[in-house]
Amino acid sequence: VDSAVMLNAKLKPGMTLLHVVAMTRALGQLLSAKDEQPEIFRWTDASESHVTCTFVGGKLAHHELFRPAPDAAPPAP
């Protein structure tokens, strides 16, 4: 996705998986076992931030944003 942070802000409980796929224009990475409930998908952006979404019965039940820690500041001269 272009921005995991923006995707996270747009997600609302009850959205269908189809709606989220349409928003992202990508299926995402399936993290759960195929054809088992709940279905867990992850969408990742170029900065390695990602949103993990849990769908129960095809509807969004939970979503969580992960942002990697910023690189350590360069040492002082």
Side-chain angles (χ1 to χ4, degrees):
V1 293
D2 291 332
S3 171
V5 173
M6 292 304 295
L7 172 60
N8 185 67
K10 293 177 183 177
L11 294 173
K12 304 285 183 242
M15 285 182 146
T16 64
L17 175 57
L18 186 59
H19 187 138
V20 177
V21 168
M23 285 174 35
T24 61
R25 296 183 309 271
L27 182 56
Q29 176 187 7
L30 179 63
L31 301 179
S32 57
K34 184 173 171 56
D35 297 327
E36 288 192 15
Q37 293 290 318
E39 294 176 296
I40 303 170
F41 288 89
R42 176 174 290 160
W43 286 268
T44 306
D45 66 18
S47 72
E48 296 303 315
S49 294
H50 60 260
V51 178
T52 302
C53 297
T54 303
F55 294 88
V56 178
K59 296 195 179 210
L60 183 61
H62 177 75
H63 62 95
E64 185 173 8
L65 173 66
F66 171 81
R67 296 178 78 183
D71 292 335

